[in-house]
Each structure stands twice: as structure tokens, then as C-alpha cells.
Amino acid sequence: MEYPLVLVHWLDHESSGGPEWEDLESQLEWAAELPPIGQTVGWIIWEGEKHIVLVDTIMNSTETGTAHKILKENIVFKKELQ
């Protein structure tokens, strides 16, 4: 079976703070920053209504490397490479 090879840019989730109290002004500055954008290249092995799953390696058509589940609502750019 053929799987599409794609480049996907996606908005990441992040947290700010640790085990101590945080300064509200610093948190508000951080809150105004855009989320980081991840970039993943891989084969789409599954696509559903809410997310896609990419793998970085397909070995002998029977095994895969790492799988990445990416929410469709977080995708800001997707390009098929094949």
C-alpha cells in the first residue's frame, strides 16, 4: 500500500512555569507570544476526522519507526512531497 509523504507545519502546545510561583506580568508577556511551530516530514499512515498519523520510517512494508499524531486543527501548512 502507498502512503503519501508529506511535510507538515503544526502549532505546538506549551506550558510556562514550574514548581514556584510565577510573576503575573511575565506570564502575560509569555501568553501573548505565538505558539511554536513544529515541522514534521513523514508518511501519513492514518487519517481521521480530527487528526493524522505520520511515521518517519517504513521498513519492509511491515514495520514503522516513530509515529506522530497531529491534530488537524493545529496544522498550518501541509505539502505532499511525492
Side-chain angles (χ1 to χ4, degrees):
M1 178 175 215
E2 285 290 317
Y3 299 100
L5 179 64
V6 295
L7 165 65
V8 178
H9 295 192
W10 47 277
L11 294 172
D12 196 10
H13 298 139
E14 63 180 349
S15 300
S16 175
E20 301 171 3
W21 289 103
E22 305 296 332
D23 177 70
L24 178 58
E25 187 173 327
S26 296
Q27 292 289 49
L28 290 170
E29 287 176 18
W30 172 82
E33 297 172 2
L34 291 175
I37 296 178
Q39 299 179 39
T40 304
V41 173
W43 288 271
I44 298 176
I45 62 164
W46 193 87
E47 183 164 356
E49 183 180 327
K50 301 282 187 183
H51 67 282
I52 62 174
V53 177
L54 307 181
V55 294
D56 60 11
T57 304
I58 298 176
M59 184 68 69
N60 296 323
S61 299
T62 61
E63 297 178 307
T64 71
T66 301
H68 305 273
K69 189 180 287 185
I70 300 172
L71 296 174
K72 286 184 171 181
E73 67 185 32
N74 290 7
I75 294 173
V76 294
F77 175 82
K78 183 170 95 173
K79 178 181 179 184
E80 190 161 335
L81 300 177
Q82 290 182 341

